[in-house]
Amino acid sequence: MPSVSTPGGGGTAEHRPEQARTDYAGAIYGALLAASVIAGTAAVGPFSRLGLVLFLLVTGVVFWAAHVYARLAGERAHGQLLSWGEVRHVATHEWPVVQAAVPPAVAVAISPLLRLGLAGTAWFALGVALFEQVMWSTVAAVRAGASRRLVVVSGLVNLALGLIIVVAKTTIHH
């Protein structure tokens, strides 16, 4: 579940909203990233379950750190002085990128209980990542007050992005 950003110690009002808000963009991005990791590992050959779990989580953490660094560097480029409070705020705001890696990693971890082989495990985890991506985009649209039509379009666009990953997985792997 995406984290909730709350006002931190530093930064401007633009980066410190008066009310807490949920960062769905990071969750959507993180789910798409997880799907890409699964598809990419399947393309290079079978990974052990533990290897895939670790790769998903490490990739989420690395991309989270990259997002935090890029956002802070961008703010500094605009002449803003950074405080530890602002660093904490940005790190918390970007945390959903990591959180989105957890459900597919859990899917990989529980796959033996479902008697899935490595190929089945990859498809199961990919399905979880795609479901998560579509769900977060739909929830974000609903919470933003979008019309029913826009909610459906948001979900379909994210499904299409996920299906591109599925097509890439099947064509590259075979």
Side-chain angles (χ1 to χ4, degrees):
M1 180 171 178
S3 64
V4 176
S5 298
T6 55
T12 64
E14 178 184 33
H15 295 104
R16 289 181 23 206
E18 291 304 315
Q19 295 180 342
R21 70 178 178 84
T22 303
D23 180 28
Y24 295 105
I28 295 165
Y29 177 82
L32 185 59
L33 175 65
S36 299
V37 165
I38 295 161
T41 57
V44 296
F47 262 64
S48 70
R49 285 179 179 86
L50 178 60
L52 185 52
V53 167
L54 292 174
F55 196 43
L56 281 163
L57 297 175
V58 167
T59 301
V61 170
V62 168
F63 274 75
W64 163 77
H67 276 242
V68 170
Y69 175 78
R71 188 159 161 210
L72 292 171
E75 289 174 2
R76 197 168 22 180
H78 287 89
Q80 291 181 342
L81 296 177
L82 297 178
S83 67
W84 282 111
E86 182 65 9
V87 171
R88 278 190 309 275
H89 171 74
V90 170
T92 300
H93 179 78
E94 297 295 336
W95 191 246
V97 173
V98 176
Q99 289 174 308
V102 173
V106 169
V108 171
I110 68 166
S111 67
L113 300 174
L114 303 173
R115 300 180 190 257
L116 296 174
L118 292 179
T121 295
W123 282 110
F124 178 49
L126 184 58
V128 168
L130 296 181
F131 172 79
E132 182 182 22
Q133 177 189 340
V134 171
M135 183 212 37
W136 285 125
S137 68
T138 303
V139 168
V142 168
R143 295 260 172 99
S147 67
R148 190 172 292 170
R149 180 176 180 209
L150 191 55
V151 169
V152 170
V153 168
S154 178
L156 290 175
V157 165
N158 276 278
L159 179 59
L161 291 171
L163 291 177
I164 291 169
I165 299 295
V166 170
V167 168
K169 178 189 179 315
T170 57
T171 57
I172 292 171
H173 190 259
H174 292 26

